Amino acid sequence: MKALSVDTPIIQMHIEFKELMKKVCEWLPSYTIIAESLNSGEQKYTLESARSMHSDLLQALQKIETLGRQFAEYGEPDSELYVNRVVARLALAVYRRARHFVQNYLPPLQTLPTLKQYVNLTSQRKDELAVRWSEEDKALAELMELVSGKQNFAKMDPSTNPTTKRWQRFFQLPISTSNTYDKRQGKKTTIEYLDSIANKMDLVAGQLMTARQEGQLQIAEELAQELHQLEQEFQKTSSSLNDTESPTL
């Protein structure tokens, strides 16, 4: 049987078919991330560029479906496009592949909000972030007050308060090597480690406030997460001190 030429319409159709499938497979994951971001009210991406990508993907899927129907015509013996049984089997296989591809990839193609919906979503997200940031600022203020109290206690004059002397000795005792924070800090005392965390929290809190004022929402979220981790570490370290029995002096 003579091989089909590369210039044969069915061969050109198959080349286009593969290129369209490749485009959809490469673009759809990125589009899904963008669509989810826009539908949540985030402003990392523009609605216009997302609409353009959605249109391109939809057209590619529609073209794949059209090509699939054209391939099916090559598989019908009564069709003018029928070549032979081998080509017919291949054409029908491509038709089934096209149909399954569209069925699998069209549903995940998320719709985008209208401009009015997007404006409402961004406004709602800003309100939610404002409430969350307010709660975080309140929690931060309470935590910083706790940090300040511990630091002031550590700096009290032992000569005027015997209890202070006793507890300062206790705070400066080596911590068990089983504690994660002690492994990271080496020979640092617990009070020094708490002080370093507090300083780091001050720095991150300042950066967080600046990011919020400048409207850098993504950076603000990352800084808020970092600050939350520092708060957890501080609470964990403080709790380990509170749970440890005081030595007999």
Side-chain angles (χ1 to χ4, degrees):
M1 183 182 64
K2 184 178 180 180
L4 294 175
S5 170
V6 177
D7 296 330
T8 304
I10 191 173
I11 299 298
Q12 292 298 315
M13 286 168 51
H14 190 255
I15 293 174
E16 183 181 7
F17 173 72
K18 291 193 297 182
E19 291 177 348
L20 288 169
M21 286 198 303
K22 180 181 178 182
K23 177 180 180 179
V24 172
C25 291
E26 290 178 349
W27 284 28
L28 188 58
S30 297
Y31 171 78
T32 301
I33 294 174
I34 294 173
E36 290 177 350
S37 175
L38 292 172
N39 279 305
S40 67
E42 293 182 347
Q43 296 177 292
K44 293 189 293 185
Y45 310 98
T46 64
L47 185 59
E48 183 178 354
S49 62
R51 285 176 173 174
S52 177
M53 184 178 289
H54 179 273
S55 177
D56 289 343
L57 284 169
L58 187 59
Q59 289 178 11
L61 288 169
Q62 290 173 341
K63 183 62 176 177
I64 289 173
E65 185 178 21
T66 300
L67 287 172
R69 289 196 295 267
Q70 292 175 357
F71 275 109
E73 295 180 8
Y74 280 88
E76 298 175 0
D78 298 334
S79 172
E80 296 180 354
L81 299 176
Y82 183 84
V83 178
N84 54 49
R85 293 176 60 184
V86 175
V87 173
R89 285 200 299 270
L90 292 174
L92 290 175
V94 175
Y95 160 69
R96 289 191 294 269
R97 176 72 179 108
R99 185 181 60 186
H100 293 155
F101 187 88
V102 173
Q103 289 175 348
N104 290 334
Y105 283 87
L106 184 58
L109 191 62
Q110 298 185 32
T111 57
L112 295 169
T114 63
L115 180 58
K116 182 178 180 180
Q117 290 173 333
Y118 181 60
V119 171
N120 292 335
L121 287 169
T122 55
S123 177
Q124 180 181 349
R125 177 175 172 79
K126 287 180 180 179
D127 292 341
E128 292 174 351
L129 288 175
V131 172
R132 193 179 77 183
W133 288 344
S134 177
E135 294 174 350
E136 291 176 354
D137 289 342
K138 181 179 178 181
L140 176 61
E142 294 175 353
L143 185 59
M144 295 310 296
E145 183 178 352
L146 174 63
V147 172
S148 178
K150 286 185 177 291
Q151 289 176 330
N152 291 336
F153 179 79
K155 295 176 182 178
M156 290 175 64
D157 186 358
S159 63
T160 60
N161 192 330
T163 303
T164 301
K165 183 176 181 180
R166 183 181 302 114
W167 280 104
Q168 282 184 339
R169 289 178 181 174
F170 166 61
F171 283 146
Q172 292 172 355
L173 287 175
I175 306 302
S176 171
T177 55
S178 62
N179 291 332
T180 303
Y181 63 84
D182 186 58
K183 292 179 181 178
R184 290 198 297 264
Q185 294 301 314
K187 296 183 179 180
K188 281 189 175 181
T189 65
T190 306
I191 292 297
E192 289 174 337
Y193 183 48
L194 285 172
D195 184 60
S196 68
I197 297 178
N199 292 334
K200 179 66 173 178
M201 288 167 61
D202 285 338
L203 177 62
V204 175
Q207 294 174 342
L208 176 58
M209 183 176 297
T210 301
R212 288 174 176 173
Q213 291 174 347
E214 295 178 354
Q216 298 176 338
L217 302 183
Q218 181 64 24
I219 296 177
E221 287 190 13
E222 294 174 357
L223 289 171
Q225 292 176 1
E226 182 179 355
L227 185 59
H228 178 65
Q229 292 174 353
L230 289 170
E231 291 172 357
Q232 289 182 323
E233 181 69 12
F234 186 89
Q235 292 286 12
K236 176 183 176 182
T237 306
S238 299
S239 298
S240 68
L241 284 176
N242 296 333
D243 294 340
T244 305
E245 293 184 358
S246 173
T248 302
L249 299 178

